[in-house]
Amino acid sequence: MTIKNTMPTLLAHTLSAVLFIGASSVMAHSKGIKASANNAKDPAFDIVHAKITTQGDLATFHIAVSGMAGKVKPTPTGKLAGSDVFSYVWPTTLNPAEVGFEKDTGILALAVTSHPDFDDTPLYDENGDGNNANDGNVWHSHWVVLKPNDKCGKGSLGVVDIPKGEKPKVPKTWPGLPLLIDSPNATPQFKGDSLNVTIKIDNITSLKLAKFDGVTSGLRVNESAHAPLLCVKDVFDVASGDLSLPGFVNK
């Protein structure tokens, strides 16, 4: 008798939980840029949703994929030259000067990357082993400035090089590489199909007026430091389909 009386209650609670999880998923993937699935070979990089939201001076960058976000990382090569970088990227129309670079130097993007053959976050110990120089395989965040560079391949993008002898304005957490790259302390959060990273923006109003896109890609470190050093070699998926940056922040 007790079991019979309990079953409807258990079923009701189970159904409520399922509905709650479903509603939470819908809310998490609402607004922003919605994309169709099966546009990338690997579900871990198959974008179905991208958005940017703000609260106070904090901005949260979100990407959802059809598989498990962050599941796939590059295979180590044992050396820097020729090594691979996998990334989840939000290209924006935000001016690079808003995060500490020179004004109008290229396309500012927030990137979450993994690359087991080198470490470019010298200020932080992401894996907690007491060594700040061996964390490249741990997913971490960067601001990068991108520009079209035919040396990377016709119509391809590359991270902007800093020519030898030049000292352009860079953020305080610049990792010392000859690139327009920043290594802020913004920890990516992976959960199921979703990636979220929250970062402080001093002039949050400028971001609210910006547009964005979502991209998953593979980059490669070249043999020469200025060949250029870091090129986008493979675009796995683009939320908009054409890199038109159609997304509006908070919408």
Side-chain angles (χ1 to χ4, degrees), residues 103-204:
K103 186 177 180 182
D104 301 330
T105 43
I107 302 165
L108 182 68
L110 186 70
V112 170
T113 68
S114 174
H115 39 75
D117 290 298
F118 65 99
D119 186 293
D120 53 8
T121 56
L123 299 178
Y124 314 112
D125 179 18
E126 287 95 332
N127 61 15
D129 69 349
N131 183 353
N132 286 17
N134 65 349
D135 312 310
N137 65 313
V138 179
W139 290 103
H140 55 280
S141 301
H142 292 293
W143 285 113
V144 294
V145 180
L146 303 167
K147 264 190 174 180
N149 192 328
D150 284 343
K151 291 182 180 179
C152 291
K154 187 172 178 59
S156 296
L157 293 170
V159 180
V160 177
D161 283 327
I162 298 176
K164 188 175 181 179
E166 291 192 12
K167 295 183 178 180
K169 183 180 178 183
V170 291
K172 293 180 180 178
T173 46
W174 174 62
L177 294 171
L179 296 167
L180 295 188
I181 183 173
D182 183 32
S183 299
N185 190 17
T187 304
Q189 302 293 330
F190 289 91
K191 186 176 182 181
D193 65 351
S194 296
L195 161 62
N196 292 286
V197 56
T198 299
I199 189 167
K200 185 177 182 293
I201 308 289
D202 290 334
N203 183 5
I204 199 69

Side-chain angles (χ1 to χ4, degrees), residues 8 19 77 193 216:
L19 291 174
T77 65
D193 65 351
T216 51

Side-chain angles (χ1 to χ4, degrees), residues 32-74:
I33 306 169
K34 296 180 181 180
S36 58
N38 303 316
N39 289 317
K41 291 182 179 178
D42 197 309
F45 299 112
D46 183 29
I47 300 175
V48 295
H49 185 234
K51 73 176 177 180
I52 301 174
T53 55
T54 65
Q55 185 172 5
D57 61 358
L58 297 176
T60 297
F61 291 70
H62 167 86
I63 277 179
V65 294
S66 64
M68 293 288 288
K71 183 179 180 180
V72 180
K73 295 180 179 181

